[in-house]
Amino acid sequence: MKKLYALLIALMIITTGAFAQKNVQWVDAQTLTHLGKLCQTTNPYHRVEIANYPELNKTEANLLRMSAGEAILFETNATSIWVKPTFGKSRESAGMTRNASCGFNLYIEKDGEWTWAASKSNSTYTYLKGQISDKNKNGVRLLNLPLRMIANMDNSMKKCIIYLPLYSELTHLEIGVENGAEIKALENPFRHKIAIFGSSFTHGSCASAAGQTYPAFLQRQTGLYFCGLGMSGNSKLQPVIGRILGGTDADAIVVDAFSNPSIKVIDERIDLFISEIRAQRPEIPIIFLRTIYRENRNFDLKSEEREQARIDHVEKVMARVKTTYDHVYFINVKDQTGTDHETSADGIHPTSWGYKRWADAIEKPLLKILKKYKIK
């Protein structure tokens, strides 16, 4: 009976959605402006052309197929906005909302500022999981159902950004507006190009929605063009990632490098990582970030000892690195997410409020460094 009830609800949602869509016109998102890309890729929603880097292991490759940090920019006078995704592989994990892992996040410019408008994901996946969605070697695939992001807006021209899922692979995406409405690409309003490579923190784990990572907050706050290359659990100063970053046209590289690797790995790899970038970009600024305070240290004595030992060691490493290489910096800001211990989702990752605080904490020292290179 429960399965039948769930199936009936799902069919009602699908039927209602189909009825609402009859007056919707669809455009390929690739005809609009695609933000957040560091590399040209065959699948436009992958972040790196995996085939060009056979050194990447399976986990790293799968992470780089996810659309984290990417967004679609456009202008429209529509009163409602839809998305119609085609998903490849998806990943759901503890602490992640569906709006972040496989959903979409809409911001609209209002009074000169990017303002939150909607965050949505397809709840029908919950009802149909194991019944209609297919299971294969890649796991359970998300249903490719159209999703109405927002409705009942006025018909003025609006500048819009739709942030793409953080922990899912997209193979195709269409944006929908009502018939007769105008929708068109916009010129990228963000300046320069700054790559951010990092851990699950940079990837956005435990953010409430796709546009609420610290690179996304920094972009909207500063007007600078930050392109996220978060690799959840796998920001370990891999030489191949140094080579990938060095091969981009970024004006600066920011690295959340010390959240995942052990002290041993940091010592083994940091010079090689920098050298791989320098081989292609000898004068690009490389800006390392101090890892944030993990709240699981509060009472766990082993965690406290391990985390503090790594932080202390990194300070020594970066003191050496900054004297060894030109144009290398270390933003060593403490308490980036605050001192009230109220921003953690799971003892490791911040909530969106924590990511906002992190962006605020590093904004001034980051802008000071970038200004030296006329990035402002």
Side-chain angles (χ1 to χ4, degrees):
M1 180 62 73
K2 288 183 178 180
K3 288 186 177 181
L4 178 60
Y5 179 69
L7 184 58
L8 287 173
I9 291 176
L11 291 174
M12 287 174 61
I13 294 172
I14 293 170
T15 303
T16 302
F19 179 78
Q21 289 177 62
K22 67 179 183 179
N23 294 318
V24 175
Q25 57 176 323
W26 298 97
V27 299
D28 187 335
Q30 289 304 297
T31 65
L32 305 173
T33 304
H34 192 164
L35 300 178
K37 294 285 289 185
L38 284 170
C39 308
Q40 292 298 314
T41 54
T42 303
N43 176 332
Y45 302 104
H46 289 175
R47 291 179 290 161
V48 170
E49 189 65 36
I50 304 302
N52 292 344
Y53 301 95
E55 308 97 313
L56 293 167
N57 63 39
K58 183 178 179 180
T59 299
E60 293 166 343
N62 284 338
L63 288 167
L64 291 169
R65 291 186 179 100
M66 296 172 179
S67 55
E70 298 180 25
I72 302 298
L73 171 74
F74 58 92
E75 187 173 36
T76 183
N77 62 354
T79 61
S80 62
I81 297 173
W82 294 68
V83 294
K84 185 161 59 175
T86 302
F87 287 103
K89 187 174 181 181
S90 175
R91 166 180 166 181
E92 291 183 304
S93 59
M96 290 295 295
T97 69
R98 292 185 55 74
N99 285 345
S101 63
C102 56
F104 299 82
N105 191 189
L106 172 66
Y107 277 76
I108 299 175
E109 190 179 68
K110 182 179 181 180
D111 300 327
E113 295 186 357
W114 291 105
T115 303
W116 182 93
S119 297
K120 294 288 179 65
S121 62
N122 258 318
S123 59
T124 49
Y125 172 70
T126 302
Y127 297 114
L128 298 183
K129 186 175 180 181
Q131 298 175 41
I132 296 178
S133 58
D134 66 305
K135 290 186 178 181
N136 55 32
K137 63 181 180 180
N138 290 326
V140 180
R141 291 181 182 275
L142 294 172
L143 293 173
N144 303 315
L145 297 176
L147 178 67
R148 187 171 69 179
M149 293 292 300
I150 195 169
N152 305 312
M153 296 188 293
D154 63 37
N155 62 357
S156 63
M157 292 298 293
K158 296 169 281 290
K159 296 179 180 179
C160 305
I161 296 176
I162 293 181
Y163 291 92
L164 307 186
L166 297 180
Y167 279 86
S168 297
E169 178 190 20
L170 286 172
T171 59
H172 186 68
L173 179 65
E174 294 178 72
I175 308 296
V177 296
E178 68 265 19
N179 289 333
E182 186 178 358
I183 180 170
K184 60 183 180 181
L186 275 177
E187 184 178 349
N188 183 356
F190 301 108
R191 306 179 300 278
H192 306 284
K193 180 182 282 189
I194 302 158
I196 300 188
F197 167 60
S199 66
S200 55
F201 298 142
T202 302
H203 201 131
S205 185
C206 292
S208 299
Q212 295 178 354
T213 64
Y214 79 85
F217 281 122
L218 281 171
Q219 180 166 285
R220 293 193 299 270
Q221 290 171 195
T222 65
L224 295 175
Y225 186 27
F226 288 90
C227 298
L229 200 67
M231 291 176 62
S232 187
N234 287 266
S235 175
K236 298 180 179 179
L237 295 165
Q238 300 95 315
V240 64
I241 301 299
R243 190 153 64 256
I244 290 169
L245 291 169
T248 70
D249 61 351
D251 300 307
I253 296 172
V254 178
V255 190
D256 156 32
F258 307 122
S259 301
N260 291 150
S262 65
I263 288 173
K264 182 175 182 292
V265 170
I266 292 169
D267 288 343
E268 289 174 348
R269 292 183 176 178
I270 190 163
D271 290 280
L272 185 54
F273 176 80
I274 294 171
S275 296
E276 288 285 357
I277 296 172
R278 284 283 172 259
Q280 300 175 83
R281 305 293 301 279
E283 296 185 352
I284 192 172
I286 305 173
I287 306 164
F288 289 90
L289 302 178
R290 176 191 176 108
T291 190
I292 63 170
Y293 180 93
R294 300 189 186 200
E295 297 293 339
N296 61 8
R297 300 172 55 179
N298 292 340
F299 300 99
D300 186 323
L301 299 181
K302 287 187 177 180
S303 293
E304 166 65 21
E305 182 181 5
R306 181 177 61 250
E307 288 295 309
Q308 193 58 50
R310 179 165 52 177
I311 287 172
D312 292 343
H313 186 76
V314 163
E315 290 184 345
K316 295 176 183 176
V317 169
M318 289 309 303
R320 175 188 65 80
V321 166
K322 288 193 299 178
T323 61
T324 304
Y325 301 95
D326 294 331
H327 311 295
V328 172
Y329 302 87
F330 182 40
I331 296 181
N332 191 19
V333 176
K334 299 179 181 179
D335 304 319
Q336 299 102 312
T337 58
T339 58
D340 53 13
H341 307 290
E342 293 288 355
T343 63
S344 183
D346 58 4
I348 297 175
H349 305 95
T351 60
S352 291
W353 178 231
Y355 284 125
K356 175 64 167 66
R357 284 183 173 180
W358 191 356
D360 291 344
I362 66 173
E363 180 179 339
K364 286 185 178 179
L366 181 58
L367 293 180
K368 184 177 180 180
I369 295 168
L370 294 174
K371 188 176 180 181
K372 297 179 181 179
Y373 298 86
K374 300 182 179 180
I375 301 172
K376 55 186 179 177

